[in-house]
Amino acid sequence: MRISDGKVITCSPGRNFVILKLETEDGVYGLGDATVNGRELAVASYLNDHVIPLLIGRDARRIEDIWQFLYKGAYWRRGPVTMAAIAAVDVALWDIKGKSLDAPVYQLLGGASRDAVMVYGHASGETIDETIESVGRYVERGYRAVRAQCTVPGMANTYGVTHGDAYEPAERGLAPETQWSSERYLPIVPPLFERLRAEFGSELHLLHDVHHRLTPIEAARLGRSLEPHHLFWLEDPTPAENQESFRLIRQHTTTPLAVGEVFNSIHDCRQLVQEQLIDYIRTTAVHAGGLSHLRKIASLAELYQVRTGCHGATDLSPVCMAAALHFDLSVHNFGIQEYMPHTAETDRVFPHRYTFAAGSMHPGDAPGLGVDIDEALAATFPYQRAYLPIARRQDGTMHDW
Ligand code: EZ4
Ligand code: CO
């Protein structure tokens, strides 16, 4: 079963996606996501110019060997572009293997460990009252877990806040600039969650994303002040390049911590996991080397009772969403899956078999990943340059994002 062709499809049905399609001489094809938000074309070139020529003629069944060949063979290891390219190949090969063996990918990963996977939605508002209404709409739709974000008073365009319920972080054109003030942000979060607990009771899982914006001691203070409201997790409280920062946060708070959506390798997770400095690891199939590498991260995490919580924002394509759901359904130490529905255009470009019901999702039982791409329709939505916003403090200093 030799790989006979590889094609990179870039499209923008509401937002940009980079998809790898690998074909075999048997006529079976597989899809992998290679989208790195705001740096899309770098991965497209890495695949087109440097990876696809190496794949032609290789045995598509040898997933682990091809992974090691691309990782070790690059000499320069890791990094978001390299790992997203390897991920796209890996996920496409799992899709091919599933289709060729007539089995959904989760069956190849050990079978279902649960009936369905709990997901969380994104609620937000300009005020605490609006955020409560937004959470209420998720609860009405059956969600059992909701992330809540609120505009910081005096800060226009706070990250994570949207009008309506569809949050899309990137904007077309050049990178927009937003303002940030930790001094204004810190006092508003505890009252938001106090009100949410009063409104929705103790069973609803509540999450919050700090987006790497606090110093370790500020994060420790926030975690401690949120303890009475028992969050499911506090996400990315401080940047994690310096993993030792989390020792300081841990000394002060029992609020569970989730980190890792920007990680691309098991080495980024190692100290956080082994020192039990976090409770959830957020690495994804697309940004952390595909299903093969994600399973290794999960196995390491399992030893330390750290559970998975894959990133699932709108910049993770339906191909990545499908891969995540096969992984989530099968992996023993699953925690939760982030879920932001895509635009109607995106769903049309990527017909898929995964479903949502009663706050949970299931990848479906189609062979492979259960997701396809309508290439003719995708071609009607050409790539458009877009970036995530950047954040500056009120004196103009660039802030962490
Ligand atoms: O900002 O996916 O938890 N979810 C997030 C996302 C990220 C975007 C970045 O591309 O933090 O909204
Ligand atoms: Co996040």
Side-chain angles (χ1 to χ4, degrees), residues 13 64 75 89 193 215 278 290 350:
E64 180 67 19
Y75 192 61
V89 174
F193 283 90
T215 64
I278 57 171
F350 297 96

Side-chain angles (χ1 to χ4, degrees), residues 260-277:
E261 66 183 44
V262 301
F263 289 179
N264 50 67
S265 141
I266 196 167
H267 301 288
D268 300 327
C269 313
R270 195 154 44 113
Q271 184 180 6
L272 290 174
V273 168
Q274 288 181 333
E275 290 190 29
Q276 296 181 290
L277 300 177

Side-chain angles (χ1 to χ4, degrees), residues 120-330:
Y120 70 90
H122 280 218
S124 69
E126 294 291 340
T127 61
I128 289 181
D129 284 330
E130 262 185 48
T131 308
I132 290 172
E133 285 169 28
S134 175
V135 171
R137 287 194 289 278
Y138 281 93
V139 172
E140 279 165 23
R141 278 180 254 153
Y143 284 81
R144 288 168 293 137
V146 186
R147 182 186 103 161
Q149 310 289 139
C150 183
T151 293
V152 177
M155 303 277 104
N157 302 321
T158 305
Y159 80 92
V161 178
T162 184
H163 301 280
D165 280 338
Y167 170 58
E168 169 48 62
E171 285 184 35
R172 286 182 173 156
L174 300 179
E177 302 218 352
T178 59
Q179 271 196 337
W180 180 253
S181 161
S182 297
E183 294 75 14
R184 291 189 183 181
Y185 164 73
L186 279 165
I188 194 169
V189 190
L192 168 64
F193 283 90
E194 187 180 356
R195 289 276 311 279
L196 286 168
R197 274 287 166 239
E199 199 74 30
F200 297 102
S202 61
E203 281 199 13
L204 182 67
H205 296 304
L206 293 171
L207 300 82
H208 184 69
D209 191 349
V210 183
H211 245 274
H212 326 266
R213 298 224 170 170
L214 298 176
T215 64
I217 199 68
E218 289 168 342
R221 173 183 146 201
L222 180 63
R224 182 179 282 185
S225 64
L226 290 170
E227 281 171 24
H229 319 306
H230 51 97
L231 265 59
F232 187 92
W233 79 34
L234 185 66
E235 177 179 336
D236 289 331
T238 198
E241 288 104 322
N242 179 10
Q243 301 191 11
E244 287 165 27
S245 299
F246 285 78
R247 289 187 191 145
L248 191 152
I249 303 174
R250 272 302 218 217
Q251 280 164 23
H252 294 286
T253 181
T254 57
T255 292
L257 303 175
V259 177
E261 66 183 44
V262 301
F263 289 179
N264 50 67
S265 141
I266 196 167
H267 301 288
D268 300 327
C269 313
R270 195 154 44 113
Q271 184 180 6
L272 290 174
V273 168
Q274 288 181 333
E275 290 190 29
Q276 296 181 290
L277 300 177
I278 57 171
D279 301 280
Y280 297 92
I281 185 69
R282 289 191 34 75
T283 41
T284 58
V286 55
H287 297 134
L291 286 167
S292 299
H293 199 62
L294 201 53
R295 292 178 80 207
K296 294 180 186 181
I297 293 173
S299 296
L300 173 69
E302 186 185 347
L303 300 181
Y304 299 91
Q305 300 198 44
V306 173
R307 293 190 283 163
T308 67
C310 288
H311 189 202
T314 41
D315 47 307
L316 294 300
S317 79
V319 176
C320 181
M321 192 66 205
L325 292 171
H326 286 279
F327 168 77
D328 298 337
L329 194 67
S330 62

